[in-house]
Amino acid sequence: MHSIPNLDEDRERLNSIDGIVPNPFELPEGCYFAPRCKHAMARCKKEQPGDYTVGEGHTVKCFLYDEKEGK
Ligand code: SF4
């Protein structure tokens, strides 16, 4: 979301996410985004997140939206 350009800002570079996309033949255990996620928890490195509904017709695969995590 931080990479979306804002036409009101005078910037030369857009925000990017540190790290690289994982090799599809050597995917990490747990959430595939965990090595690059600043919100990663211990759980993220062990388990695959399921689908969590965040609105009508919208789901995410992120433990931040699991009721067990307090959201
Ligand atoms: S499940 Fe969510 S918080 Fe955890 S690593 Fe993946 S994207 Fe980040």
Side-chain angles (χ1 to χ4, degrees), residues 6-14:
N6 182 342
L7 298 178
D8 296 330
E9 284 184 44
D10 185 21
R11 305 183 75 181
E12 291 188 18
R13 295 185 60 98
L14 298 175

Side-chain angles (χ1 to χ4, degrees), residues 2 6 12 24-28 32 34 37 45 47-48 53-54:
H2 290 288
N6 182 342
E12 291 188 18
F25 297 106
E26 296 177 29
L27 291 171
Y32 300 151
C37 179
K45 296 175 181 161
E47 302 172 44
Q48 280 277 327
T53 301
V54 294

Side-chain angles (χ1 to χ4, degrees), residues 31 33-34 37 39-41 44 49 61-64:
C31 176
F33 191 59
C37 179
H39 304 290
M41 304 165 268
C44 303
K61 288 185 180 290
C62 177
F63 289 126
L64 291 176

